[in-house]
Amino acid sequence: VEIIAAAPLYQAGPGAISLLDHIDHAERLAGCQASAVIVPENFSEDKIGRKDLPHIRVARPHAAFAAIVSHFRPARAKKNVGISPGAYV
């Protein structure tokens, strides 16, 4: 499975990985087009409800998803703010 993006369940399309953090949200997977999903380590395939959707079980799903998001959306470089050393009056 090729993953090219990270997105929430309601926005995830083909090639995206998403996060299912609570069993109450499992019904959202029915219409989700994500290529994979991150789930808590205590989720079984029965809880996920989609045997066709690859999933990664982790102890800290939010931390794992945040790391994946930062891979696809790296922090922007900070702009230099202030007075330029070359400025003169």
XYZ file of all heavy atoms in Angstrom:
666
model
N 0.855 -1.176 0.000
C 0.000 0.000 0.000
C 0.895 1.230 0.000
O 1.758 1.375 0.864
C -0.926 0.011 1.242
C -1.720 1.286 1.312
C -1.826 -1.190 1.245
N 0.682 2.105 -0.963
C 1.447 3.347 -1.026
C 0.666 4.444 -0.308
O -0.503 4.686 -0.605
C 1.697 3.761 -2.471
C 2.528 5.015 -2.577
C 2.807 5.434 -3.997
O 2.196 4.879 -4.925
O 3.645 6.323 -4.182
N 1.320 5.086 0.635
C 0.714 6.180 1.393
C 1.377 7.481 0.944
O 2.597 7.620 1.004
C 0.899 5.980 2.910
C 0.267 4.657 3.360
C 0.321 7.161 3.688
C -1.227 4.556 3.142
N 0.551 8.427 0.493
C 1.086 9.690 -0.005
C 0.557 10.903 0.765
O 0.923 12.035 0.475
C 0.785 9.861 -1.507
C -0.726 9.791 -1.762
C 1.524 8.808 -2.329
C -1.142 10.155 -3.181
N -0.315 10.664 1.754
C -0.901 11.765 2.511
C -1.453 11.247 3.829
O -1.613 10.044 4.026
C -2.023 12.418 1.708
N -1.742 12.188 4.712
C -2.406 11.880 5.986
C -3.590 12.830 6.105
O -3.464 14.025 5.809
C -1.451 12.072 7.150
N -4.738 12.301 6.510
C -5.942 13.123 6.579
C -6.923 12.529 7.572
O -6.895 11.333 7.848
C -6.599 13.214 5.197
N -7.841 13.374 8.091
C -8.892 12.847 8.958
C -9.819 11.920 8.171
O -9.872 11.978 6.936
C -9.648 14.090 9.436
C -9.061 15.260 8.747
C -7.906 14.817 7.930
N -10.551 11.093 8.865
C -11.423 10.110 8.221
C -12.353 10.732 7.177
O -12.534 10.174 6.102
C -12.267 9.369 9.262
C -11.542 8.344 10.120
C -12.470 7.832 11.209
C -11.005 7.205 9.286
N -12.936 11.878 7.486
C -13.916 12.467 6.576
C -13.282 13.083 5.334
O -13.977 13.385 4.368
C -14.793 13.502 7.297
C -14.046 14.721 7.781
C -13.930 15.853 6.974
C -13.466 14.751 9.037
C -13.253 16.970 7.415
C -12.786 15.858 9.477
C -12.682 16.971 8.661
O -12.003 18.081 9.099
N -11.945 13.267 5.320
C -11.265 13.842 4.165
C -10.337 12.861 3.462
O -9.874 13.142 2.364
C -10.414 15.044 4.594
C -11.196 16.256 4.997
C -10.275 17.389 5.398
O -9.146 17.170 5.829
N -10.757 18.609 5.260
N -10.062 11.744 4.078
C -9.066 10.814 3.543
C -9.543 10.177 2.252
O -10.640 9.640 2.179
C -8.742 9.739 4.574
N -8.686 10.245 1.251
C -8.972 9.620 -0.025
C -7.981 8.499 -0.282
O -7.162 8.159 0.583
N -8.021 7.946 -1.481
C -7.057 6.900 -1.828
C -5.615 7.410 -1.665
O -5.314 8.542 -2.028
C -7.378 6.609 -3.294
C -8.809 7.023 -3.458
C -8.980 8.210 -2.556
N -4.785 6.589 -1.082
C -3.393 6.966 -0.845
C -3.158 7.645 0.485
O -2.023 7.945 0.846
N -4.212 7.896 1.235
C -4.077 8.576 2.527
C -4.150 7.579 3.677
O -4.780 6.529 3.582
C -5.169 9.626 2.696
N -3.503 7.948 4.767
C -3.639 7.206 6.017
C -4.434 8.088 6.963
O -4.315 9.314 6.926
C -2.264 6.809 6.608
C -2.451 5.842 7.784
C -1.442 8.029 6.996
C -1.168 5.132 8.196
N -5.267 7.480 7.775
C -6.120 8.234 8.681
C -6.034 7.656 10.084
O -5.268 6.725 10.335
C -7.561 8.230 8.179
O -8.310 9.203 8.856
N -6.819 8.211 10.974
C -6.798 7.833 12.388
C -8.203 7.479 12.850
O -9.140 8.257 12.674
C -6.265 9.004 13.224
C -6.417 8.904 14.737
C -5.530 7.801 15.301
C -6.076 10.228 15.392
N -8.346 6.306 13.419
C -9.577 5.899 14.097
C -9.204 5.747 15.566
O -8.580 4.762 15.960
C -10.108 4.580 13.532
C -11.332 4.010 14.230
C -12.517 4.966 14.120
C -11.683 2.656 13.668
N -9.537 6.752 16.361
C -9.073 6.762 17.744
C -10.079 6.240 18.754
O -9.732 5.978 19.892
C -8.621 8.162 18.144
C -9.739 9.185 18.055
O -10.803 8.884 17.481
O -9.530 10.312 18.556
N -11.327 6.094 18.355
C -12.344 5.643 19.299
C -13.341 4.741 18.571
O -13.728 5.021 17.447
C -13.069 6.855 19.913
C -13.808 6.516 21.148
N -15.091 6.016 21.134
C -13.455 6.586 22.449
C -15.491 5.798 22.364
N -14.520 6.140 23.181
N -13.761 3.705 19.217
C -14.666 2.728 18.618
C -15.987 3.366 18.184
O -16.613 2.924 17.227
C -14.901 1.522 19.570
C -15.512 0.357 18.789
C -15.746 1.912 20.747
C -14.642 -0.177 17.707
N -16.394 4.452 18.840
C -17.637 5.135 18.470
C -17.569 5.730 17.069
O -18.588 6.060 16.488
C -17.975 6.238 19.478
C -18.382 5.684 20.829
O -18.677 4.471 20.910
O -18.430 6.457 21.800
N -16.363 5.899 16.526
C -16.196 6.478 15.195
C -16.039 5.416 14.112
O -15.840 5.748 12.944
C -14.987 7.408 15.174
C -15.090 8.526 16.150
N -13.984 9.172 16.657
C -16.161 9.117 16.751
C -14.368 10.099 17.507
N -15.683 10.081 17.581
N -16.119 4.159 14.473
C -15.895 3.070 13.519
C -16.861 3.106 12.342
O -16.497 2.734 11.230
C -15.967 1.723 14.231
N -18.079 3.599 12.565
C -19.049 3.658 11.462
C -18.595 4.608 10.362
O -19.005 4.489 9.218
C -20.444 4.047 11.977
C -20.613 5.503 12.356
C -20.092 5.875 13.742
O -19.691 4.969 14.496
O -20.094 7.070 14.068
N -17.717 5.557 10.683
C -17.200 6.492 9.678
C -16.310 5.798 8.651
O -16.080 6.325 7.571
C -16.412 7.615 10.349
C -17.267 8.489 11.225
C -16.452 9.569 11.864
N -17.261 10.312 12.815
C -16.792 11.252 13.601
N -15.517 11.575 13.545
N -17.581 11.880 14.435
N -15.814 4.621 8.984
C -14.964 3.887 8.048
C -15.742 3.361 6.853
O -15.155 3.116 5.793
C -14.270 2.714 8.757
C -13.174 3.067 9.732
C -12.646 1.810 10.396
C -12.047 3.810 9.036
N -17.037 3.203 6.996
C -17.841 2.638 5.905
C -17.701 3.457 4.621
O -17.556 2.912 3.544
C -19.300 2.545 6.326
N -17.711 4.776 4.731
C -17.604 5.624 3.561
C -16.219 6.194 3.339
O -16.005 6.977 2.422
N -15.292 5.817 4.170
C -13.935 6.357 4.102
C -13.152 5.684 2.971
O -13.203 4.476 2.795
C -13.224 6.137 5.433
S -11.562 6.825 5.487
N -12.401 6.491 2.212
C -11.617 5.967 1.108
C -10.130 5.860 1.436
O -9.313 5.642 0.553
C -11.800 6.845 -0.124
C -13.211 6.849 -0.643
C -13.347 7.716 -1.880
O -12.373 8.177 -2.442
N -14.571 7.937 -2.293
N -9.765 6.016 2.699
C -8.356 5.933 3.098
C -7.769 4.585 2.694
O -8.472 3.581 2.622
C -8.217 6.126 4.605
N -6.469 4.593 2.449
C -5.777 3.350 2.084
C -5.313 2.573 3.304
O -5.004 1.392 3.206
C -4.580 3.662 1.194
O -5.025 4.188 -0.037
N -5.255 3.246 4.465
C -4.852 2.601 5.716
C -5.331 3.472 6.872
O -5.648 4.648 6.692
C -3.337 2.424 5.778
N -5.354 2.869 8.051
C -5.808 3.602 9.225
C -4.972 3.206 10.436
O -4.563 2.056 10.572
C -7.325 3.368 9.458
C -7.617 1.936 9.817
C -7.888 4.303 10.490
N -4.714 4.180 11.304
C -4.032 3.959 12.587
C -5.117 3.726 13.632
O -6.091 4.484 13.679
C -3.212 5.198 12.999
C -2.217 5.572 11.930
C -2.602 5.030 14.367
C -0.851 5.073 12.104
N -4.965 2.696 14.455
C -5.949 2.395 15.494
C -5.228 2.087 16.810
O -4.058 1.724 16.799
C -6.840 1.192 15.102
C -7.646 1.492 13.848
C -6.038 -0.076 14.924
N -5.937 2.219 17.938
C -5.349 1.814 19.211
C -5.021 0.321 19.209
O -5.683 -0.464 18.523
C -6.445 2.125 20.233
C -7.286 3.178 19.589
C -7.256 2.840 18.119
N -4.021 -0.049 19.982
C -3.550 -1.435 19.968
C -4.589 -2.442 20.450
O -4.499 -3.615 20.125
C -2.259 -1.576 20.769
C -2.377 -1.260 22.240
C -1.031 -1.293 22.938
O -0.024 -1.622 22.308
O -0.999 -0.961 24.136
N -5.616 -1.993 21.166
C -6.629 -2.935 21.658
C -7.793 -3.125 20.676
O -8.727 -3.848 20.966
C -7.162 -2.483 23.018
C -7.877 -1.156 22.952
O -7.688 -0.378 22.033
N -8.689 -0.883 23.955
N -7.728 -2.498 19.500
C -8.772 -2.690 18.490
C -8.519 -3.989 17.742
O -7.430 -4.242 17.277
C -8.770 -1.542 17.483
C -9.549 -0.333 17.912
C -9.710 -0.009 19.238
C -10.109 0.501 16.975
C -10.405 1.111 19.630
C -10.808 1.624 17.351
C -10.968 1.930 18.675
N -9.553 -4.775 17.588
C -9.458 -5.992 16.781
C -10.075 -5.702 15.414
O -10.731 -4.683 15.216
C -10.218 -7.127 17.458
O -11.593 -6.819 17.499
N -9.875 -6.610 14.481
C -10.482 -6.434 13.163
C -11.997 -6.362 13.274
O -12.649 -5.656 12.501
C -10.072 -7.559 12.221
C -8.677 -7.395 11.682
C -8.360 -8.398 10.596
O -9.285 -9.060 10.071
O -7.178 -8.518 10.275
N -12.570 -7.086 14.223
C -14.015 -7.049 14.414
C -14.479 -5.654 14.814
O -15.522 -5.189 14.371
C -14.449 -8.057 15.480
C -14.208 -9.488 15.046
O -14.104 -9.732 13.824
O -14.108 -10.361 15.920
N -13.700 -4.975 15.659
C -14.057 -3.627 16.085
C -13.936 -2.644 14.929
O -14.726 -1.721 14.816
C -13.161 -3.162 17.237
C -13.500 -3.752 18.574
C -12.640 -3.129 19.649
C -12.973 -3.675 21.013
N -12.156 -3.055 22.063
N -12.942 -2.844 14.076
C -12.728 -1.932 12.961
C -13.849 -2.086 11.941
O -14.319 -1.114 11.371
C -11.341 -2.177 12.318
C -10.249 -1.838 13.344
C -11.169 -1.364 11.056
C -8.879 -2.307 12.955
N -14.266 -3.319 11.701
C -15.399 -3.559 10.834
C -15.088 -3.606 9.345
O -15.987 -3.785 8.542
N -13.837 -3.411 8.964
C -13.474 -3.486 7.548
C -12.214 -4.319 7.392
O -11.105 -3.869 7.653
C -13.216 -2.088 6.977
C -14.486 -1.319 6.745
C -14.337 -0.136 5.850
N -13.532 -0.340 4.665
C -13.027 0.677 3.957
N -13.265 1.911 4.335
N -12.307 0.444 2.897
N -12.387 -5.523 6.959
C -11.248 -6.429 6.794
C -10.397 -6.058 5.585
O -9.253 -6.442 5.484
C -11.741 -7.865 6.680
C -12.421 -8.344 7.953
C -12.850 -9.782 7.820
C -13.680 -10.250 8.980
N -13.079 -10.221 10.262
N -10.960 -5.258 4.664
C -10.235 -4.850 3.466
C -9.314 -3.650 3.708
O -8.506 -3.303 2.857
C -11.221 -4.488 2.356
C -12.060 -3.261 2.699
O -12.513 -3.165 3.861
O -12.265 -2.422 1.808
N -9.423 -3.001 4.853
C -8.661 -1.787 5.137
C -7.450 -2.102 6.008
O -7.603 -2.492 7.165
C -9.555 -0.770 5.848
C -8.949 0.588 6.148
C -8.548 1.305 4.859
C -9.939 1.429 6.932
N -6.242 -1.935 5.472
C -5.052 -2.175 6.300
C -5.040 -1.233 7.506
O -5.424 -0.064 7.388
C -3.886 -1.861 5.354
C -4.446 -2.009 3.987
C -5.887 -1.586 4.105
N -4.639 -1.768 8.633
C -4.589 -0.951 9.839
C -3.290 -1.223 10.594
O -2.708 -2.288 10.500
C -5.806 -1.208 10.728
C -5.989 -2.638 11.102
N -6.580 -3.546 10.239
C -5.658 -3.319 12.213
C -6.596 -4.724 10.831
N -6.038 -4.626 12.023
N -2.873 -0.198 11.329
C -1.660 -0.289 12.141
C -2.090 -0.056 13.579
O -2.623 1.010 13.901
C -0.626 0.773 11.708
C -0.290 0.590 10.236
C 0.624 0.685 12.580
C 0.499 1.738 9.639
N -1.869 -1.043 14.424
C -2.219 -0.920 15.845
C -1.030 -0.359 16.608
O 0.073 -0.901 16.518
C -2.617 -2.273 16.412
C -3.950 -2.729 15.924
C -4.388 -3.996 16.634
N -5.025 -4.838 15.626
C -4.867 -6.124 15.519
N -4.088 -6.762 16.346
N -5.486 -6.791 14.586
N -1.274 0.702 17.368
C -0.205 1.350 18.143
C -0.707 1.687 19.541
O -1.910 1.840 19.766
C 0.301 2.638 17.446
C 0.950 2.326 16.112
C -0.809 3.645 17.267
N 0.224 1.829 20.469
C -0.127 2.158 21.854
C -0.625 3.601 21.974
O -1.523 3.885 22.756
C 1.069 1.941 22.774
N -0.043 4.496 21.186
C -0.396 5.917 21.266
C -0.806 6.408 19.872
O 0.009 6.987 19.148
C 0.779 6.703 21.815
C 1.130 6.261 23.250
C 2.372 6.925 23.817
N 2.323 8.357 23.661
C 3.409 9.096 23.383
N 4.584 8.545 23.254
N 3.300 10.406 23.240
N -2.060 6.177 19.485
C -2.482 6.494 18.119
C -2.369 7.969 17.744
O -1.993 8.296 16.627
C -3.925 6.012 18.046
C -4.356 5.785 19.444
C -3.138 5.573 20.262
N -2.661 8.860 18.674
C -2.566 10.297 18.354
C -1.115 10.698 18.109
O -0.830 11.456 17.175
C -3.189 11.151 19.467
C -4.675 11.075 19.485
N -5.477 11.914 18.761
C -5.512 10.221 20.125
C -6.744 11.607 18.958
N -6.792 10.577 19.780
N -0.214 10.214 18.922
C 1.206 10.516 18.734
C 1.713 9.932 17.417
O 2.469 10.586 16.685
C 2.024 9.982 19.908
N 1.287 8.728 17.095
C 1.705 8.102 15.844
C 1.177 8.885 14.645
O 1.905 9.140 13.682
C 1.216 6.655 15.790
N -0.091 9.289 14.707
C -0.670 10.032 13.596
C -0.013 11.401 13.462
O 0.248 11.863 12.346
C -2.181 10.163 13.767
C -2.878 10.694 12.557
C -2.910 9.962 11.383
C -3.496 11.931 12.576
C -3.549 10.448 10.248
C -4.139 12.422 11.451
C -4.169 11.682 10.292
N 0.283 12.046 14.583
C 0.962 13.348 14.536
C 2.335 13.222 13.877
O 2.731 14.083 13.085
C 1.101 13.923 15.946
N 3.048 12.153 14.168
C 4.357 11.931 13.540
C 4.204 11.730 12.032
O 5.003 12.246 11.242
C 5.046 10.733 14.172
N 3.167 11.017 11.627
C 2.926 10.791 10.203
C 2.543 12.100 9.520
O 3.042 12.422 8.439
C 1.844 9.713 10.004
C 2.387 8.359 10.457
C 1.379 9.655 8.555
C 1.346 7.284 10.579
N 1.675 12.876 10.145
C 1.277 14.168 9.576
C 2.496 15.062 9.405
O 2.666 15.703 8.364
C 0.208 14.858 10.447
C 0.005 16.301 10.036
C -1.109 14.095 10.375
N 3.379 15.094 10.400
C 4.564 15.959 10.300
C 5.498 15.495 9.185
O 6.237 16.296 8.625
C 5.303 16.037 11.635
O 5.884 14.802 11.954
N 5.446 14.225 8.833
C 6.244 13.733 7.709
C 5.725 14.305 6.383
O 6.500 14.705 5.521
C 6.208 12.203 7.660
C 6.856 11.626 6.448
N 8.217 11.562 6.311
C 6.324 11.115 5.313
C 8.504 11.024 5.123
N 7.369 10.741 4.514
N 4.424 14.343 6.233
C 3.832 14.844 4.999
C 3.691 16.362 4.971
O 3.592 16.954 3.905
C 2.459 14.202 4.764
C 2.552 12.753 4.395
C 2.162 11.772 5.281
C 3.041 12.366 3.161
C 2.246 10.426 4.943
C 3.136 11.026 2.818
C 2.740 10.059 3.707
N 3.652 16.977 6.135
C 3.520 18.436 6.224
C 4.581 18.974 7.184
O 4.274 19.324 8.323
C 2.141 18.813 6.734
C 1.042 18.364 5.821
C -0.297 18.775 6.371
N -1.350 18.113 5.611
C -2.574 17.940 6.045
N -2.917 18.366 7.233
N -3.464 17.345 5.290
N 5.830 19.045 6.723
C 6.896 19.510 7.625
C 6.672 20.957 8.062
O 5.987 21.719 7.380
C 8.164 19.376 6.782
C 7.723 19.175 5.388
C 6.298 18.738 5.401
N 7.254 21.288 9.195
C 7.137 22.648 9.725
C 7.729 23.639 8.724
O 8.721 23.354 8.057
C 7.859 22.748 11.060
N 7.097 24.788 8.629
C 7.592 25.834 7.741
C 8.816 26.504 8.347
O 8.935 26.624 9.561
C 6.518 26.886 7.514
C 5.315 26.346 6.789
C 4.315 27.440 6.578
N 3.135 26.915 5.914
C 2.042 27.619 5.698
N 1.982 28.859 6.109
N 1.027 27.074 5.087
N 9.690 26.949 7.474
C 10.873 27.686 7.937
C 10.420 29.021 8.528
O 9.518 29.672 7.996
C 11.837 27.913 6.783
N 11.029 29.399 9.618
C 10.678 30.666 10.259
C 11.234 31.828 9.444
O 12.358 31.773 8.953
C 11.237 30.723 11.674
C 10.586 29.754 12.613
C 11.123 29.904 14.010
C 10.457 28.925 14.942
N 10.925 29.104 16.318
N 10.433 32.862 9.311
C 10.875 34.073 8.629
C 11.643 34.925 9.620
O 11.304 34.984 10.810
C 9.687 34.864 8.098
C 8.947 34.176 6.977
C 7.822 35.058 6.482
C 7.067 34.388 5.351
N 5.981 35.227 4.861
N 12.669 35.570 9.118
C 13.403 36.504 9.964
C 12.542 37.750 10.151
O 12.097 38.359 9.177
C 14.745 36.880 9.329
C 15.704 35.714 9.311
O 15.611 34.831 10.151
N 16.619 35.705 8.358
N 12.316 38.107 11.390
C 11.490 39.256 11.712
C 12.363 40.239 12.471
O 13.147 39.872 13.325
C 10.275 38.841 12.577
C 9.433 40.033 12.937
C 9.447 37.791 11.843
N 12.179 41.507 12.152
C 12.936 42.533 12.862
C 13.582 43.495 11.892
O 13.226 43.580 10.709
N 14.563 44.199 12.368
C 15.258 45.192 11.566
C 16.447 44.551 10.875
O 17.250 43.863 11.490
C 15.743 46.372 12.448
C 14.525 47.012 13.117
C 16.543 47.376 11.647
C 14.865 48.033 14.182
N 16.537 44.772 9.584
C 17.641 44.201 8.805
C 18.956 44.833 9.235
O 19.036 46.052 9.460
C 17.414 44.479 7.316
O 18.559 44.165 6.568
N 20.021 44.022 9.356
C 21.323 44.579 9.704
C 21.820 45.570 8.635
O 22.633 46.449 8.931
C 22.254 43.373 9.759
C 21.353 42.173 9.794
C 20.055 42.576 9.253
N 21.287 45.488 7.441
C 21.709 46.402 6.380
C 20.870 47.684 6.296
O 21.112 48.526 5.443
N 19.879 47.829 7.177
C 19.016 49.021 7.149
C 19.759 50.240 7.686
O 20.591 50.149 8.581
C 17.769 48.760 7.970
N 19.462 51.399 7.098
C 20.045 52.639 7.607
C 19.041 53.772 7.378
O 18.164 53.677 6.552
C 21.388 52.962 6.939
C 21.312 53.206 5.455
C 21.171 54.489 4.965
C 21.354 52.152 4.564
C 21.078 54.713 3.603
C 21.257 52.361 3.203
C 21.129 53.653 2.726
O 21.029 53.868 1.381
N 19.215 54.860 8.116
C 18.309 56.001 8.029
C 19.086 57.205 7.566
O 20.182 57.465 7.916
C 17.653 56.301 9.386
C 16.726 57.503 9.294
C 16.917 55.107 9.888
